[in-house]
Amino acid sequence: MNPNPRESFPVDLTLYGDVVSPWCWLAEKRVLQAVKLLDGYFAPLRHAPFPLRPEPAAPSPAERRGMAREVRKAARQPDGAFLSPDLWTTGDAPSCSVPALVALAAARMQGAHWEEVLRERLREAALVAGLNVSRHDVLIEVAARSGLQMDRFVAALHAPGTERAVLDDYQEAVENGVEAVPALVIGEEWLVCGAREAGEYLEILRRYIESRSGLGGSQVVH
């Protein structure tokens, strides 16, 4: 046993996700609820990009129906009633979800707070208002309304290195076993796949604390 178990904390948490995924939005809210109840054990939640649509290609009718179905399913959750499938049922569905993730990386250069603000605004634009957040004009408008310094944001958005960093993070996630989102990585040891209820996240994080304080070990939570 570790004689000073609290020396092993706080533990890093990384949530892989995409702004067009309703389940990632709900997963974040639920993880944050659990972390708040376990005050002091976990570092602030870090987000990492994992695009649902990494390659630019117009979604087929079947893909659009599938994505809309997932949003409707998430909207039936008690904490998801605000979600709308309009993004996938109107004529302007995103062909690629990378641009929105690049925008978040550009916002991060102005500080973690601004990345968080823009993520929330992009989610609202996509999953409430049904706007195509892969479009440059939509990204610029949402960023401006979010209060970012637009000259810095636009420069970072257009810089080739910003998109390259997002794609590198995505490739690293794939190599580390992430196959879909949301995916929560706890302490670079445990991988929790799929959206869970808030109580389940709390139980998983408690189990990790017990493991970290005692035997430790790696685990994938299916």
Side-chain angles (χ1 to χ4, degrees):
M1 295 289 290
N2 186 342
N4 297 298
R6 288 304 292 258
E7 291 181 0
S8 300
F9 302 96
V11 172
D12 290 336
L13 289 175
T14 301
L15 183 64
Y16 286 90
D18 193 328
V19 296
V20 300
S21 165
W23 296 110
C24 292
W25 200 354
L26 298 185
E28 179 189 356
K29 293 176 181 294
R30 295 167 181 178
V31 170
L32 291 177
Q33 290 175 22
V35 168
K36 186 176 181 179
L37 294 174
L38 299 170
D39 184 42
Y41 282 99
F42 295 96
L45 182 65
R46 185 180 79 87
H47 288 266
F50 197 94
L52 283 175
R53 299 188 60 81
E55 301 294 337
S60 68
E63 289 173 323
R64 290 164 65 111
R65 288 193 298 269
M67 296 297 287
R69 186 164 53 247
E70 284 301 310
V71 179
R72 292 189 183 100
K73 183 177 178 181
R76 291 195 292 269
Q77 297 287 306
D79 53 354
F82 58 92
L83 295 165
S84 167
D86 288 354
L87 177 65
W88 303 105
T89 59
T90 61
D92 191 22
S95 61
C96 178
S97 55
V98 171
L101 298 175
V102 174
L104 293 179
R108 189 185 312 132
M109 297 179 189
Q110 297 185 36
H113 166 73
W114 292 109
E115 179 189 8
E116 181 179 345
V117 169
L118 185 59
R119 178 179 295 103
E120 198 72 7
R121 297 295 181 270
L122 287 175
R123 283 171 165 167
E124 291 170 355
L127 296 169
V128 179
L131 299 178
N132 183 350
V133 292
S134 71
R135 286 174 39 178
H136 181 267
D137 59 329
V138 173
L139 292 174
I140 294 297
E141 180 178 353
V142 175
R145 290 183 177 180
S146 300
L148 277 82
Q149 297 181 30
M150 291 307 295
D151 54 344
R152 293 178 58 192
F153 174 77
V154 172
L157 182 66
H158 291 160
T162 310
E163 180 174 348
R164 186 164 55 248
V166 168
L167 295 177
D168 286 348
D169 285 347
Y170 168 59
Q171 184 60 42
E172 181 179 354
V174 171
E175 293 171 356
N176 288 334
V178 178
E179 298 179 348
V181 292
L184 179 67
V185 177
I186 309 173
E188 299 184 359
E189 295 179 301
W190 288 21
L191 173 61
V192 183
C193 306
R196 308 301 180 93
E197 298 294 336
E200 189 174 358
Y201 278 123
L202 179 60
E203 177 61 25
I204 291 169
L205 293 176
R206 280 177 171 161
R207 282 165 46 200
Y208 182 85
I209 291 170
E210 294 170 358
S211 175
R212 183 89 167 203
S213 301
L215 297 177
S218 301
Q219 184 166 334
V220 175
V221 183
H222 295 285

